[in-house]
Amino acid sequence: MGLFTGLVTLPLAPARGVIWLAGVLKEQAEEQLYDPGRIAAEMQQVADDVASGAITEEEAAEREEELIHRLHEGHRLGYQRG
């Protein structure tokens, strides 16, 4: 980048920084959302909630379906336990 280009685009630096930060935060959130270990822990919590009577079998089935969908989506996107 030349000196002139650098000076002309300098006012955009804060916006580029915010965009970069948003990208990093999105990556981190997706890594947590699709982490197979985290999903397994949530599945165990669902089983524990059913056993304690905190939720019904129907609620558990819906939650498990959501978690399985997340697991498949994460696998499709390439998120694996790191």
Side-chain angles (χ1 to χ4, degrees):
M1 174 178 342
L3 177 64
F4 181 73
T5 304
L7 291 173
V8 170
T9 61
L10 187 60
L12 299 176
R16 283 194 302 254
V18 169
I19 291 169
W20 172 81
L21 181 59
V24 169
L25 292 174
K26 179 181 179 268
E27 277 182 35
Q28 291 292 317
E30 286 178 347
E31 284 179 17
Q32 289 182 16
L33 180 66
Y34 297 122
D35 176 33
R38 186 181 202 114
I39 293 171
E42 289 182 39
M43 286 286 241
Q44 183 59 51
Q45 183 62 48
V46 169
D48 293 345
D49 288 348
V50 169
S52 71
I55 62 174
T56 66
E57 290 285 340
E58 293 79 21
E59 292 169 323
E62 288 176 21
R63 184 68 183 130
E64 287 171 351
E65 188 175 320
E66 292 170 9
L67 291 169
I68 291 169
H69 175 73
R70 253 178 50 200
L71 187 63
H72 288 297
E73 184 68 11
H75 183 69
R76 185 184 71 77
L77 295 172
Y79 289 96
Q80 310 226 343
R81 183 170 239 180

